[in-house]
Amino acid sequence: MKNSTIESFSGIRKAGSIASAALDEVTKIIKPGIKTNEIDKICFEFINDNGAYSAPLFYRGFPKSCCTSPNHIVCHGIPKDKVLNEGDIVNVDVTAIKDGWHGDTSRMFFVGDVSVKAKKLVSTTYESMNKAIKILKDGIHIGDIGHTIQKHVESQGFSVVRDFCGHGIGKIFHQLPNILHFGEPKSGERLKSGMVFTIEPMINEGEYGTKLLNDGWTAVTKDKKLSAQFEHTVGITDEGYEIFTLSKKGLDFPPYQT
Ligand code: MF3
Ligand code: CO
Ligand code: CO
């Protein structure tokens, strides 16, 4: 049986399209003055209205339905009563569970007009993820993914976060293998047709060091400079790969024309 039709792929495809469509909805409301809590509400309602559950909600005590990570927040920011201002960049990370299967994806958003530097960081992050996705096929090594990302990011003068990685995904939210976003070619495990995992590079404007805030979740850059991230859930097929979390509206990368 072709793996594009196996149960895991069809399940994750459905979950991924709900997560991705939730981000399409978020696109409509991002503007100066909105609160990250309002983003959370959209995600919660959209996912529920589509017969799915939000995986982050109550996951290891996480209190909300998505992660919102503006500016120097690297990942796992908690939506709250905080206003986004003109010039901010923000990552929104959504994971839906549909029929027991997970789909995990995140995108960056521009709040109004943003600096040239911020735009370059965001586009470099997106390019690095896409370059890594394009090499995916049965038989390559996990290290090839990290190497592809690291090479591109460092050529642009940015750095790859070491403290968080992509992950296998399926009926379980986070499982092996770990997908590091830096590394050596031909190192690590080989990819096999049927594997499903995320690629979710976190890229810093300055140094790659991070620290965890007292809430136990929010990771920030040590040097307080900007950080950006994109995430797709992907599967290895007999022919190459499938991306489960593409936007059906083409809203994969900002600025979004809506
Ligand atoms: N979606 C995140 C990831 O890409 C995980 C968020 S876990 C949470 O793996 F609890 F912080 F929501
Ligand atoms: Co993930
Ligand atoms: Co995610």
Side-chain angles (χ1 to χ4, degrees):
M1 184 159 59
K2 264 189 159 348
N3 59 13
S4 53
T5 60
I6 62 180
E7 192 200 349
S8 58
F9 273 49
S10 7
I12 294 164
R13 195 178 292 128
K14 276 190 207 154
S17 72
I18 294 170
S20 157
L23 289 176
D24 293 347
E25 290 300 303
V26 167
T27 311
K28 298 178 186 164
I29 66 153
I30 300 274
K31 56 169 182 290
I34 71 142
K35 292 176 177 160
T36 51
N37 255 337
E38 299 174 54
I39 298 173
D40 180 66
K41 186 163 184 277
I42 295 281
C43 292
F44 176 83
E45 286 174 358
F46 184 86
I47 290 169
N48 281 278
D49 289 349
N50 282 276
Y53 297 99
S54 168
L57 189 59
F58 309 134
Y59 176 78
R60 299 188 181 167
F62 192 81
K64 297 285 177 169
S65 292
C66 65
C67 301
T68 51
S69 304
N71 300 327
H72 76 299
I73 299 184
V74 174
C75 63
H76 303 162
I78 303 173
K80 51 184 186 213
D81 216 21
K82 181 193 150 53
V83 167
L84 295 174
N85 295 306
E86 175 98 23
D88 288 348
I89 57 171
V90 61
N91 175 276
V92 180
D93 191 337
V94 173
T95 309
I97 310 175
K98 176 75 175 169
D99 306 326
W101 296 100
H102 291 71
D104 187 6
T105 184
S106 83
R107 298 178 202 153
M108 296 301 297
F109 297 86
F110 297 154
V111 183
D113 262 342
V114 310
S115 70
V116 171
K117 179 71 109 0
K119 279 185 191 155
K120 187 183 167 204
L121 175 67
V122 168
S123 56
T124 301
T125 305
Y126 184 72
E127 288 155 12
S128 74
M129 175 184 68
N130 262 354
K131 283 177 188 287
I133 290 173
K134 290 205 173 104
I135 67 163
L136 295 175
K137 62 175 185 201
D138 186 286
I140 72 157
H141 293 260
I142 287 186
D144 297 326
I145 297 173
H147 179 72
T148 302
I149 292 167
Q150 183 177 14
K151 198 171 75 182
H152 182 60
V153 164
E154 291 180 355
S155 80
Q156 302 302 305
F158 299 128
S159 66
V160 178
V161 168
R162 285 3 182 205
D163 299 333
F164 301 92
C165 58
H167 49 92
I169 186 167
K171 289 220 156 143
I172 296 171
F173 192 174
H174 294 109
Q175 60 189 49
L176 291 174
N178 289 329
I179 307 293
L180 274 57
H181 302 113
F182 58 97
E184 298 302 323
K186 295 195 163 50
S187 68
E189 195 183 323
R190 280 181 194 270
L191 301 185
K192 264 182 65 74
S193 181
M195 285 175 72
V196 178
F197 53 87
T198 71
I199 300 184
E200 50 179 302
M202 282 140 276
I203 306 305
N204 290 355
E205 177 192 357
E207 303 298 322
Y208 61 68
T210 74
K211 69 175 192 193
L212 197 61
L213 298 189
N214 286 333
D215 61 18
W217 282 105
T218 312
V220 299
T221 56
K222 262 194 187 145
D223 61 14
K224 301 204 170 67
K225 292 190 179 177
L226 295 175
S227 187
Q229 179 180 28
F230 285 87
E231 175 175 25
H232 273 313
T233 299
V234 297
I236 305 302
T237 64
D238 296 338
E239 297 80 29
Y241 62 86
E242 175 172 348
I243 307 175
F244 296 113
T245 44
L246 283 174
S247 167
K248 300 219 164 47
K249 296 188 171 165
L251 304 174
D252 292 294
F253 170 77
Y256 302 106
Q257 254 73 49
T258 53

